[in-house]
Amino acid sequence: MRTENGNILAEKTVDFAVRIVKFYKYLCDEKKEYVLSKQILRSGTSIGANVRESKNAQSRADFVSKLNIALKEADETEYWMEVMLKSDLVKEKQIEKLVANLKEIIAILVSSIKTMKMKTEK
């Protein structure tokens, strides 16, 4: 589904943030886990917030900077998922769709950043 302006990345990051919020609730309610869950909530919802900020970038460089921040937050989110898996807090099956969504978002961010950098260099 596309947003009204057709920005697939914006739509995907909003959907991902909603799933992260639900995952956070699960971690708190079912697993009684409050430290790592807060970390993944913060980084996982920050991805979309930075993508949204890029909409109002003051320049191409500012746009790339905002997307780079979103990419860093996505990488951090991936890290917290890895920690949760390796510490047996969650099973791979429980987060496989979240991981797949995150990898897709990362790929779009990397591609967008590369494209914009090439345009800026011209």
Side-chain angles (χ1 to χ4, degrees):
M1 176 190 240
R2 289 179 182 250
T3 57
E4 61 187 58
N5 66 356
N7 189 334
I8 292 226
L9 179 59
E11 186 68 34
K12 285 186 179 296
T13 57
V14 168
D15 290 346
F16 183 77
V18 169
R19 294 190 68 212
I20 285 291
V21 169
K22 290 177 181 178
F23 183 53
Y24 167 78
K25 287 180 182 178
Y26 162 78
L27 289 171
C28 290
D29 295 346
E30 302 295 322
K31 297 290 188 171
K32 305 300 183 214
E33 201 304 305
Y34 305 104
V35 177
L36 296 177
S37 61
K38 196 70 146 180
Q39 293 283 36
I40 203 164
L41 176 69
R42 189 201 55 75
S43 63
T45 56
S46 181
I47 302 164
N50 282 289
V51 168
R52 177 67 62 96
E53 275 189 52
S54 74
K55 223 171 68 169
N56 298 308
Q58 296 173 348
S59 65
R60 283 185 177 171
D62 188 34
F63 179 80
V64 170
S65 176
K66 301 263 189 274
L67 291 187
N68 269 314
I69 294 168
L71 182 58
K72 288 177 184 179
E73 294 294 339
D75 190 50
E76 181 180 337
T77 302
E78 190 173 40
Y79 170 80
W80 292 122
M81 288 181 185
E82 189 177 323
V83 169
M84 289 179 187
L85 278 172
K86 288 187 175 188
S87 63
D88 295 322
L89 184 61
V90 295
K91 302 290 180 218
E92 194 168 342
K93 187 81 173 153
Q94 290 176 292
I95 63 169
E96 65 186 354
K97 288 181 183 175
L98 264 179
V99 171
N101 291 153
L102 183 59
K103 288 188 182 298
E104 186 178 7
I105 288 167
I106 289 171
I108 295 169
L109 283 167
V110 167
S111 177
S112 298
I113 291 165
K114 284 181 181 176
T115 300
M116 191 53 75
K117 281 183 176 179
M118 287 186 341
K119 287 181 180 180
T120 302
E121 291 171 1
K122 288 183 179 182

